[in-house]
Amino acid sequence: MNNNETENGDSYTQTNRDLSRLPPSIQVINGVADAAGCSVDELAPLYEVVNPDALDRLYAPTYRGNMRSSGEVTFSYAGYHIAVDDSGTVDISPTEP
């Protein structure tokens, strides 16, 4: 994956600002698997907590290339708090200390 990954205490941040970046749903799945130290096959399906297609479309550019939405979407998945924002950042932190 072509991105910058940093670990800061118990928080894991995955940032990918490349124009060909992966969709947010894939970044979430890969990031949680990395943070949990497991394979993506071991995780529950993301669609059980959020619609992956809707998440991807929320921040996808319009046909004219403009950004569709701004802001942040937050949810819990596989024991982690997930925050996805319009800058291409996926923040992942454990829900329990």
Side-chain angles (χ1 to χ4, degrees):
M1 191 177 324
N2 185 15
N3 62 19
N4 299 318
E5 296 176 356
T6 61
E7 289 190 38
N8 183 3
D10 289 332
S11 181
Y12 177 89
T13 302
Q14 180 175 353
T15 304
N16 188 346
R17 297 178 192 276
D18 184 59
L19 293 177
S20 63
R21 71 183 177 102
L22 294 172
S25 63
I26 301 301
Q27 292 184 57
V28 168
I29 294 167
N30 289 338
V32 169
D34 288 347
C38 68
S39 82
V40 295
D41 296 331
E42 297 176 64
L43 297 173
L46 184 60
Y47 64 76
E48 290 181 358
V49 295
V50 67
N51 181 325
D53 293 329
L55 181 64
D56 294 344
R57 285 192 311 262
L58 187 61
Y59 297 119
T62 65
Y63 290 112
R64 294 184 180 184
N66 299 324
M67 293 309 295
R68 189 177 308 276
S69 298
S70 63
E72 182 176 84
V73 174
T74 61
F75 56 94
S76 293
Y77 173 60
Y80 290 87
H81 175 78
I82 312 297
V84 181
D85 71 23
D86 61 329
S87 73
T89 300
V90 175
D91 290 319
I92 299 169
S93 58
T95 54
E96 295 182 20

mmCIF file of all heavy atoms in Angstrom, residues 23-26 29 46-60 68 73 75:
data_model
loop_
_atom_site.group_PDB
_atom_site.id
_atom_site.type_symbol
_atom_site.label_atom_id
_atom_site.label_comp_id
_atom_site.label_asym_id
_atom_site.label_seq_id
_atom_site.Cartn_x
_atom_site.Cartn_y
_atom_site.Cartn_z
ATOM 1 N N PRO A 23 -10.118 3.189 -1.773
ATOM 2 C CA PRO A 23 -11.377 3.683 -1.215
ATOM 3 C C PRO A 23 -11.341 3.598 0.319
ATOM 4 O O PRO A 23 -10.671 2.727 0.879
ATOM 5 C CB PRO A 23 -12.427 2.722 -1.776
ATOM 6 C CG PRO A 23 -11.781 2.072 -2.948
ATOM 7 C CD PRO A 23 -10.310 2.057 -2.673
ATOM 8 N N PRO A 24 -12.058 4.488 1.001
ATOM 9 C CA PRO A 24 -12.055 4.483 2.466
ATOM 10 C C PRO A 24 -12.428 3.125 3.070
ATOM 11 O O PRO A 24 -11.839 2.721 4.071
ATOM 12 C CB PRO A 24 -13.090 5.544 2.836
ATOM 13 C CG PRO A 24 -13.111 6.472 1.671
ATOM 14 C CD PRO A 24 -12.842 5.604 0.472
ATOM 15 N N SER A 25 -13.357 2.416 2.472
ATOM 16 C CA SER A 25 -13.755 1.121 3.036
ATOM 17 C C SER A 25 -12.580 0.149 3.064
ATOM 18 O O SER A 25 -12.392 -0.585 4.043
ATOM 19 C CB SER A 25 -14.919 0.524 2.248
ATOM 20 O OG SER A 25 -14.543 0.266 0.909
ATOM 21 N N ILE A 26 -11.767 0.147 2.033
ATOM 22 C CA ILE A 26 -10.599 -0.743 1.975
ATOM 23 C C ILE A 26 -9.537 -0.277 2.963
ATOM 24 O O ILE A 26 -8.885 -1.084 3.634
ATOM 25 C CB ILE A 26 -10.027 -0.816 0.543
ATOM 26 C CG1 ILE A 26 -11.080 -1.318 -0.441
ATOM 27 C CG2 ILE A 26 -8.768 -1.673 0.500
ATOM 28 C CD1 ILE A 26 -11.632 -2.696 -0.128
ATOM 29 N N ILE A 29 -10.655 -1.513 6.440
ATOM 30 C CA ILE A 29 -10.446 -2.951 6.629
ATOM 31 C C ILE A 29 -8.958 -3.274 6.799
ATOM 32 O O ILE A 29 -8.559 -3.982 7.720
ATOM 33 C CB ILE A 29 -11.049 -3.745 5.456
ATOM 34 C CG1 ILE A 29 -12.570 -3.599 5.453
ATOM 35 C CG2 ILE A 29 -10.650 -5.216 5.533
ATOM 36 C CD1 ILE A 29 -13.231 -4.077 4.185
ATOM 37 N N LEU A 46 -17.398 -5.617 6.953
ATOM 38 C CA LEU A 46 -17.602 -4.204 7.260
ATOM 39 C C LEU A 46 -19.060 -3.815 7.089
ATOM 40 O O LEU A 46 -19.584 -2.982 7.833
ATOM 41 C CB LEU A 46 -16.708 -3.339 6.368
ATOM 42 C CG LEU A 46 -16.731 -1.838 6.611
ATOM 43 C CD1 LEU A 46 -16.301 -1.502 8.036
ATOM 44 C CD2 LEU A 46 -15.841 -1.124 5.607
ATOM 45 N N TYR A 47 -19.766 -4.445 6.154
ATOM 46 C CA TYR A 47 -21.163 -4.079 5.894
ATOM 47 C C TYR A 47 -22.085 -4.361 7.078
ATOM 48 O O TYR A 47 -23.221 -3.902 7.089
ATOM 49 C CB TYR A 47 -21.697 -4.757 4.632
ATOM 50 C CG TYR A 47 -21.780 -6.265 4.670
ATOM 51 C CD1 TYR A 47 -22.788 -6.913 5.370
ATOM 52 C CD2 TYR A 47 -20.848 -7.026 3.987
ATOM 53 C CE1 TYR A 47 -22.862 -8.304 5.396
ATOM 54 C CE2 TYR A 47 -20.909 -8.408 4.009
ATOM 55 C CZ TYR A 47 -21.922 -9.038 4.718
ATOM 56 O OH TYR A 47 -21.993 -10.400 4.743
ATOM 57 N N GLU A 48 -21.596 -5.081 8.083
ATOM 58 C CA GLU A 48 -22.406 -5.313 9.277
ATOM 59 C C GLU A 48 -22.526 -4.060 10.148
ATOM 60 O O GLU A 48 -23.403 -3.978 10.994
ATOM 61 C CB GLU A 48 -21.855 -6.479 10.100
ATOM 62 C CG GLU A 48 -22.040 -7.815 9.423
ATOM 63 C CD GLU A 48 -21.528 -8.991 10.231
ATOM 64 O OE1 GLU A 48 -20.967 -8.783 11.336
ATOM 65 O OE2 GLU A 48 -21.704 -10.127 9.771
ATOM 66 N N VAL A 49 -21.629 -3.081 9.949
ATOM 67 C CA VAL A 49 -21.682 -1.850 10.754
ATOM 68 C C VAL A 49 -21.856 -0.582 9.916
ATOM 69 O O VAL A 49 -22.341 0.424 10.424
ATOM 70 C CB VAL A 49 -20.446 -1.704 11.660
ATOM 71 C CG1 VAL A 49 -20.401 -2.797 12.702
ATOM 72 C CG2 VAL A 49 -19.167 -1.673 10.862
ATOM 73 N N VAL A 50 -21.441 -0.612 8.663
ATOM 74 C CA VAL A 50 -21.569 0.564 7.798
ATOM 75 C C VAL A 50 -21.643 0.076 6.348
ATOM 76 O O VAL A 50 -21.063 -0.951 6.002
ATOM 77 C CB VAL A 50 -20.386 1.552 8.003
ATOM 78 C CG1 VAL A 50 -19.074 0.972 7.526
ATOM 79 C CG2 VAL A 50 -20.637 2.886 7.340
ATOM 80 N N ASN A 51 -22.359 0.805 5.521
ATOM 81 C CA ASN A 51 -22.458 0.460 4.110
ATOM 82 C C ASN A 51 -21.157 0.886 3.414
ATOM 83 O O ASN A 51 -20.909 2.085 3.248
ATOM 84 C CB ASN A 51 -23.658 1.168 3.490
ATOM 85 C CG ASN A 51 -23.851 0.840 2.033
ATOM 86 O OD1 ASN A 51 -22.891 0.643 1.286
ATOM 87 N ND2 ASN A 51 -25.105 0.786 1.612
ATOM 88 N N PRO A 52 -20.303 -0.071 3.014
ATOM 89 C CA PRO A 52 -19.016 0.288 2.412
ATOM 90 C C PRO A 52 -19.151 1.115 1.134
ATOM 91 O O PRO A 52 -18.360 2.035 0.910
ATOM 92 C CB PRO A 52 -18.348 -1.057 2.111
ATOM 93 C CG PRO A 52 -19.089 -2.060 2.911
ATOM 94 C CD PRO A 52 -20.466 -1.523 3.121
ATOM 95 N N ASP A 53 -20.148 0.801 0.299
ATOM 96 C CA ASP A 53 -20.339 1.567 -0.938
ATOM 97 C C ASP A 53 -20.707 3.015 -0.638
ATOM 98 O O ASP A 53 -20.214 3.942 -1.278
ATOM 99 C CB ASP A 53 -21.411 0.928 -1.817
ATOM 100 C CG ASP A 53 -20.983 -0.428 -2.351
ATOM 101 O OD1 ASP A 53 -19.767 -0.629 -2.568
ATOM 102 O OD2 ASP A 53 -21.863 -1.278 -2.553
ATOM 103 N N ALA A 54 -21.574 3.212 0.345
ATOM 104 C CA ALA A 54 -21.967 4.574 0.724
ATOM 105 C C ALA A 54 -20.781 5.334 1.299
ATOM 106 O O ALA A 54 -20.585 6.521 0.999
ATOM 107 C CB ALA A 54 -23.118 4.539 1.727
ATOM 108 N N LEU A 55 -19.976 4.672 2.112
ATOM 109 C CA LEU A 55 -18.783 5.310 2.675
ATOM 110 C C LEU A 55 -17.834 5.748 1.568
ATOM 111 O O LEU A 55 -17.324 6.870 1.579
ATOM 112 C CB LEU A 55 -18.089 4.348 3.640
ATOM 113 C CG LEU A 55 -16.839 4.867 4.329
ATOM 114 C CD1 LEU A 55 -17.169 6.043 5.247
ATOM 115 C CD2 LEU A 55 -16.171 3.750 5.117
ATOM 116 N N ASP A 56 -17.622 4.893 0.591
ATOM 117 C CA ASP A 56 -16.732 5.227 -0.527
ATOM 118 C C ASP A 56 -17.284 6.374 -1.367
ATOM 119 O O ASP A 56 -16.550 7.276 -1.766
ATOM 120 C CB ASP A 56 -16.488 4.001 -1.404
ATOM 121 C CG ASP A 56 -15.718 2.909 -0.695
ATOM 122 O OD1 ASP A 56 -15.105 3.180 0.357
ATOM 123 O OD2 ASP A 56 -15.741 1.762 -1.189
ATOM 124 N N ARG A 57 -18.588 6.353 -1.628
ATOM 125 C CA ARG A 57 -19.204 7.404 -2.454
ATOM 126 C C ARG A 57 -19.269 8.744 -1.735
ATOM 127 O O ARG A 57 -19.258 9.796 -2.377
ATOM 128 C CB ARG A 57 -20.599 6.990 -2.879
ATOM 129 C CG ARG A 57 -20.617 5.951 -3.980
ATOM 130 C CD ARG A 57 -21.998 5.766 -4.590
ATOM 131 N NE ARG A 57 -23.043 5.598 -3.589
ATOM 132 C CZ ARG A 57 -23.546 4.430 -3.194
ATOM 133 N NH1 ARG A 57 -23.086 3.311 -3.713
ATOM 134 N NH2 ARG A 57 -24.497 4.371 -2.288
ATOM 135 N N LEU A 58 -19.329 8.713 -0.416
ATOM 136 C CA LEU A 58 -19.450 9.945 0.355
ATOM 137 C C LEU A 58 -18.320 10.924 0.069
ATOM 138 O O LEU A 58 -18.539 12.123 -0.017
ATOM 139 C CB LEU A 58 -19.491 9.615 1.850
ATOM 140 C CG LEU A 58 -19.779 10.762 2.798
ATOM 141 C CD1 LEU A 58 -21.155 11.364 2.517
ATOM 142 C CD2 LEU A 58 -19.707 10.268 4.228
ATOM 143 N N TYR A 59 -17.116 10.407 -0.091
ATOM 144 C CA TYR A 59 -15.963 11.278 -0.327
ATOM 145 C C TYR A 59 -15.386 11.148 -1.732
ATOM 146 O O TYR A 59 -14.324 11.679 -2.027
ATOM 147 C CB TYR A 59 -14.875 11.003 0.712
ATOM 148 C CG TYR A 59 -15.348 11.324 2.108
ATOM 149 C CD1 TYR A 59 -15.403 10.354 3.084
ATOM 150 C CD2 TYR A 59 -15.767 12.605 2.427
ATOM 151 C CE1 TYR A 59 -15.847 10.647 4.360
ATOM 152 C CE2 TYR A 59 -16.219 12.905 3.700
ATOM 153 C CZ TYR A 59 -16.247 11.928 4.662
ATOM 154 O OH TYR A 59 -16.694 12.228 5.924
ATOM 155 N N ALA A 60 -16.064 10.457 -2.622
ATOM 156 C CA ALA A 60 -15.595 10.331 -3.999
ATOM 157 C C ALA A 60 -15.808 11.640 -4.743
ATOM 158 O O ALA A 60 -16.796 12.344 -4.513
ATOM 159 C CB ALA A 60 -16.347 9.205 -4.703
ATOM 160 N N ARG A 68 -17.139 15.728 -3.200
ATOM 161 C CA ARG A 68 -18.569 15.590 -2.987
ATOM 162 C C ARG A 68 -18.986 16.034 -1.595
ATOM 163 O O ARG A 68 -19.998 16.661 -1.409
ATOM 164 C CB ARG A 68 -18.964 14.139 -3.212
ATOM 165 C CG ARG A 68 -20.429 13.881 -3.238
ATOM 166 C CD ARG A 68 -20.744 12.431 -3.549
ATOM 167 N NE ARG A 68 -20.103 11.914 -4.741
ATOM 168 C CZ ARG A 68 -20.565 12.052 -5.978
ATOM 169 N NH1 ARG A 68 -21.677 12.698 -6.193
ATOM 170 N NH2 ARG A 68 -19.924 11.538 -7.004
ATOM 171 N N VAL A 73 -16.916 10.925 9.224
ATOM 172 C CA VAL A 73 -17.820 9.833 9.554
ATOM 173 C C VAL A 73 -17.121 9.005 10.626
ATOM 174 O O VAL A 73 -15.941 8.671 10.485
ATOM 175 C CB VAL A 73 -18.109 8.944 8.326
ATOM 176 C CG1 VAL A 73 -18.919 7.726 8.714
ATOM 177 C CG2 VAL A 73 -18.814 9.737 7.243
ATOM 178 N N PHE A 75 -17.550 5.572 13.400
ATOM 179 C CA PHE A 75 -18.285 4.354 13.750
ATOM 180 C C PHE A 75 -17.321 3.410 14.457
ATOM 181 O O PHE A 75 -16.113 3.625 14.473
ATOM 182 C CB PHE A 75 -18.895 3.691 12.508
ATOM 183 C CG PHE A 75 -17.908 3.364 11.411
ATOM 184 C CD1 PHE A 75 -17.330 2.106 11.329
ATOM 185 C CD2 PHE A 75 -17.574 4.315 10.451
ATOM 186 C CE1 PHE A 75 -16.436 1.797 10.311
ATOM 187 C CE2 PHE A 75 -16.679 4.011 9.429
ATOM 188 C CZ PHE A 75 -16.112 2.744 9.365
#
